[in-house]
Amino acid sequence: MTTTSEPDRAPVATGAARLTIIAGWSLIVVAVLHTAVFVPQAPWRDWFSGSLRSVDPDAESVAVFWALPGGIVVPALLLGLLMIRLGRQHQRVGLGYALAILAWVSFCLWLVGPSGFLLLLVTVGLLVAAAAVDRRAS
């Protein structure tokens, strides 16, 4: 049996780690707010009875499904938790995460116009600031 160890990464500046933690929390807040808005509309009973697997599912039911469990809520929560964990370990996520979120938000805003997606720009800004603080400190 062989064991592998994780490569040692140099810790980032304290400010960058703190900004990463705040970015993680901001992403979790957006996911929770998103859930709070759409949960009252969710036809859970219909979903569990198989309405989404029918030949002609209700368009509104499908839209709410993709807004909740099938959408970005679960990945956003998990990414937020990852950011918090990395920040507490004095690490930060790469700038690519901020760029990916920015690209996704930009596309969504292009599709639906100004909406709650704008809140994710806070997370993007915090991640870019964490990268800048870390770069300045090193």
Side-chain angles (χ1 to χ4, degrees):
M1 178 167 112
T2 61
T3 59
T4 59
S5 63
E6 292 184 30
D8 291 329
R9 293 188 224 165
V12 298
T14 303
R18 189 175 303 121
L19 287 168
T20 301
I21 292 169
I22 296 168
W25 279 112
S26 73
L27 193 55
I28 289 172
V29 166
V30 169
V32 168
L33 289 173
H34 189 275
T35 301
V37 167
F38 286 102
V39 158
Q41 303 171 28
W44 294 100
R45 183 175 292 155
D46 292 344
W47 292 346
F48 287 125
S49 69
S51 70
L52 294 173
R53 294 186 301 266
S54 69
V55 176
D56 190 24
D58 177 43
E60 184 177 335
S61 177
V62 171
V64 173
F65 172 78
W66 285 110
L68 283 171
I72 196 65
V73 171
V74 174
L77 285 171
L78 294 174
L79 181 57
L81 290 171
L82 175 66
M83 288 180 196
I84 292 168
R85 178 179 178 204
L86 288 173
R88 288 181 178 163
Q89 294 174 348
H90 294 283
Q91 300 294 322
R92 66 174 179 82
V93 296
L95 196 53
Y97 286 85
L99 296 175
I101 295 170
L102 178 62
W104 179 72
V105 167
S106 298
F107 178 70
C108 291
L109 288 171
W110 179 74
L111 285 175
V112 299
S115 63
F117 287 113
L118 288 169
L119 294 174
L120 290 169
L121 294 177
V122 171
T123 302
V124 170
L126 289 165
L127 292 176
V128 169
V133 166
D134 188 42
R135 184 174 199 134
R136 194 175 327 137
S138 60

